Amino acid sequence: MGPKEWFPELHPEPDGEPGRHRYDWAVTEPRSLADEPIHRDVALRLARNEQRYTRQRRTMVEALASIGRPATIGELIEAVGELPISTAYRNLAVLGDAGVVRRVNGTDEFARFELAEEVSGHHHHHAVCSSCGLVIDATSSARLEMALAETARAIAAENGFDVADHRLELVGRCLSCARTAT
Amino acid sequence: MGPKEWFPELHPEPDGEPGRHRYDWAVTEPRSLADEPIHRDVALRLARNEQRYTRQRRTMVEALASIGRPATIGELIEAVGELPISTAYRNLAVLGDAGVVRRVNGTDEFARFELAEEVSGHHHHHAVCSSCGLVIDATSSARLEMALAETARAIAAENGFDVADHRLELVGRCLSCARTAT
DNA sequence: GGCTAGTTTGAGAATCATTCTCATGTCAAA
DNA sequence: TTTGACATGAGAATGATTCTCAAACTAGCC
């Protein structure tokens, strides 16, 4: 198919370098790659899987961190700005394998993604809006968390299931949908 | 277009009635329609939505009840025997609107369906296998259930979310996958 | 009994989120 | 700089779910 134009309108050739294009996802800034603890952690987890922490992936991690709740693919792409769908899904899969992001199933048909608790350092549960599908983080006190863990442990013992984790899901109406009657 | 053959190989014309076909979903047994409490309840809920409790739908409800855990479309079809996919999805939607069945999201890409707790009378939570996606019911003692409800209530209060329900999900390995290493 | 209106069904087409393909660009290490 | 391995982007493919519509059914009326 010959040398077709590849993303030319978004990334024109830099001046003085004909034939060479600029790519946002190039890993060209070693200085700032690990200047934040979270990025250092992500880079380490990716390295364990022999994966690179490219600029694209860093942008995605930062977008997920800034959104602060499980984000759909659309929300993630919007937050990042330029992000092809195929790359978004592929990198989410890579980050998922590395234990950096976790996939969250809500009530609608859209998958949502959030930073894993081990990366964000933010243990939480989820409140799901049964009307619009919005998922927000729900934190709890240490006392409540202990009761919940104890409950989960006992339920697991009663049912003979090899439980590694537990998740509490609160189903109801988000503030926006609660305002709009029915 | 024209009068094409419609499902002829599965439901041949009954003897002596040329031109007439037999359909499994026909509502032709009023006697046994409501002879069980659960069927009476389901019929009532469907009637509230101006929907009929056809034989197909009753078969689906019975299959869901007998499976005893959230079932995938494939499992449901297998349990029923003859059940077109389109009819299965449509009736699950109808039963869902009537509050008879509930959709359960597991860890894999398959939606699962179970009888609503109001119909089955069986309050429970779910244990999800992170390996194969199997979802089984997990019951808990009254004491644990109270602690869990209290926890959910407090978390909801802390986060200002209009919570109507809560669900606990235990993630781990099912017995079958725990046996098979890795 | 038959007739009519509205409902349910089944097969296949359509939808659409997600995954896959592959040519091309980029990185890291000699 | 060369080379091999990995990352990317556009589009095609996949596949669960939903939609379409003609045909078959039920309920209610005569």
Side-chain angles (χ1 to χ4, degrees):
Chain A
M1 282 72 207
K4 69 179 164 197
E5 301 178 289
W6 195 59
F7 218 19
E9 65 281 13
L10 292 174
H11 300 284
E13 302 176 354
D15 296 341
E17 293 187 68
R20 192 159 183 284
H21 292 259
R22 176 173 54 84
Y23 292 86
D24 276 349
W25 47 270
V27 181
T28 54
E29 289 187 57
R31 179 184 55 76
S32 61
L33 232 183
D35 54 6
E36 298 217 31
I38 184 172
H39 287 308
R40 197 188 311 265
D41 186 17
V42 172
L44 184 60
R45 288 172 187 272
L46 283 171
R48 285 202 198 102
N49 281 26
E50 300 183 335
Q51 296 281 347
R52 298 171 187 164
Y53 196 24
T54 65
R55 187 188 296 184
Q56 285 261 57
R57 290 170 183 175
R58 187 155 62 102
T59 309
M60 290 173 64
V61 167
E62 285 172 351
L64 287 176
S66 72
I67 290 176
R69 56 177 171 73
T72 62
I73 283 285
E75 292 170 338
L76 179 60
I77 289 177
E78 186 180 16
V80 169
E82 282 298 334
L83 184 61
I85 294 180
S86 56
T87 298
Y89 278 111
R90 188 184 334 96
N91 281 343
L92 283 173
V94 169
L95 291 168
D97 286 342
V100 176
V101 308
R102 189 169 84 78
R103 185 175 181 149
V104 179
N105 286 327
T107 57
D108 53 17
E109 72 268 35
F110 301 104
R112 287 155 203 272
F113 301 87
E114 67 176 0
L115 291 183
E117 293 191 348
E118 295 77 18
V119 173
S120 66
H122 174 222
H123 178 63
H124 62 278
H125 298 283
H126 290 140
V128 185
C129 179
S130 57
S131 182
C132 71
L134 177 74
V135 181
I136 65 173
D137 289 356
T139 57
S140 66
S141 68
R143 178 193 304 272
L144 298 178
E145 194 54 41
M146 281 183 64
L148 187 55
E150 169 62 31
T151 300
R153 194 158 45 239
I155 290 180
E158 287 176 7
N159 290 275
F161 198 85
D162 180 18
V163 173
D165 193 13
H166 66 267
R167 298 170 194 162
L168 177 61
E169 207 173 84
L170 307 177
V171 184
R173 305 288 288 270
C174 70
L175 292 179
S176 171
C177 287
R179 237 176 253 125
T180 315
T182 305
Chain B
M1 295 73 202
K4 69 179 164 195
E5 298 178 291
W6 196 59
F7 217 20
E9 66 281 14
L10 292 174
H11 300 281
E13 302 176 355
D15 296 342
E17 294 186 67
R20 191 158 182 285
H21 291 258
R22 176 173 55 84
Y23 290 87
D24 276 348
W25 47 268
V27 180
T28 54
E29 289 187 57
R31 179 183 54 77
S32 61
L33 231 182
D35 54 5
E36 297 215 31
I38 184 172
H39 287 308
R40 196 187 313 264
D41 185 18
V42 172
L44 184 60
R45 289 171 187 272
L46 283 172
R48 286 202 198 103
N49 281 25
E50 301 183 334
Q51 297 281 347
R52 299 171 186 166
Y53 196 23
T54 63
R55 185 189 296 183
Q56 284 262 57
R57 291 170 183 173
R58 188 157 61 102
T59 310
M60 289 173 64
V61 166
E62 284 172 351
L64 286 176
S66 72
I67 290 175
R69 55 175 172 75
T72 62
I73 284 285
E75 291 169 339
L76 178 60
I77 289 177
E78 186 180 18
V80 170
E82 281 299 332
L83 182 60
I85 294 180
S86 57
T87 297
Y89 277 111
R90 188 185 332 96
N91 281 343
L92 283 173
V94 169
L95 291 168
D97 286 342
V100 175
V101 308
R102 189 169 84 79
R103 186 175 181 149
V104 179
N105 287 327
T107 57
D108 53 17
E109 73 268 35
F110 302 105
R112 288 155 202 272
F113 302 86
E114 68 176 359
L115 290 183
E117 293 191 347
E118 295 77 18
V119 173
S120 66
H122 174 222
H123 178 62
H124 62 279
H125 298 283
H126 291 140
V128 184
C129 179
S130 57
S131 183
C132 70
L134 178 74
V135 181
I136 64 172
D137 289 356
T139 57
S140 65
S141 68
R143 177 195 305 273
L144 297 179
E145 194 54 42
M146 282 182 63
L148 187 54
E150 169 62 32
T151 301
R153 194 157 47 238
I155 289 180
E158 289 176 6
N159 290 274
F161 198 86
D162 181 19
V163 173
D165 193 13
H166 67 267
R167 298 169 193 161
L168 178 61
E169 208 172 82
L170 307 177
V171 184
R173 306 289 288 272
C174 69
L175 293 178
S176 171
C177 287
R179 237 177 253 123
T180 314
T182 304

